[in-house]
Amino acid sequence: MKRRDLLLASAGLAFAGGASATARGDTVAWPDGVTLLDGGAWAPKPGHAQVIVRWATWCGFCRRHNAHVNALLRSLPADAPLQVLGVAADRDPEAVRRHVRAEGYTFPVTLDAAGFAALSPRRVIPLTITVDRQGRLREIIPGEMAEADVMALADLAR
């Protein structure tokens, strides 16, 4: 088994049809549950698109990027079929909680333990992963995105 397949399998995250199927258009098989910083659970809702953002508290690019993600969420109606999940690369949950409060992030956040980094071999942050309403991998976007580009992610809800 390839190292990447082992990482995916150990993280509980794979793609339908096998752990090595990582191409655009593949159906994402999510973990059974993701524990959020507030102790709640996150899971993809059927018929909803997902935007997963991997970031870190010490990353200035992430701070600007996540501000755009917050603006995206504020621009959508409450019942829009789009979910956002922040995946903090940090290891200290209390430091992440403080950062989330200080920055006013309104999206749910988990630590990287859920294995979302396994979706891409790239370790750049921020890293934005989009999944369409049918549960298929759309894009893996490395680096900071411009506000207009983040706002265009609202199209995933259509």
Side-chain angles (χ1 to χ4, degrees), residues 6-154:
L6 287 170
L7 285 172
L8 285 166
S10 68
L13 184 66
F15 290 86
S20 62
T22 58
R24 276 178 84 175
D26 286 341
T27 300
V28 175
W30 299 96
D32 287 336
V34 175
T35 302
L36 299 174
L37 282 176
D38 66 6
W42 182 93
K45 294 179 183 175
H48 284 60
Q50 289 81 33
V51 174
I52 310 298
V53 180
R54 187 165 187 264
W55 59 278
T57 58
W58 47 264
C59 170
F61 301 109
C62 299
R63 184 172 285 124
R64 287 189 301 265
H65 183 82
N66 287 349
H68 302 327
V69 171
N70 252 359
L72 168 67
L73 283 177
R74 284 191 306 272
S75 75
L76 296 171
D79 62 348
L82 179 69
Q83 293 176 279
V84 173
L85 178 67
V87 180
D90 302 77
R91 294 180 188 256
D92 180 357
E94 191 50 44
V96 176
R97 284 185 196 98
R98 283 191 306 268
H99 183 83
V100 166
R101 280 191 303 271
E103 295 298 322
Y105 298 159
T106 57
F107 50 87
V109 176
T110 187
L111 296 182
D112 209 6
F116 287 96
L119 279 170
S120 173
R122 300 197 71 176
R123 295 297 176 239
V124 64
I125 54 173
L127 182 73
T128 303
I129 299 164
T130 63
V131 178
D132 68 21
R133 292 180 64 190
Q134 291 72 44
R136 296 180 306 244
L137 179 67
R138 285 271 307 253
E139 292 184 86
I140 297 173
I141 307 162
E144 180 183 1
M145 295 170 63
E147 182 177 14
D149 294 329
V150 172
M151 297 303 283
L153 295 177

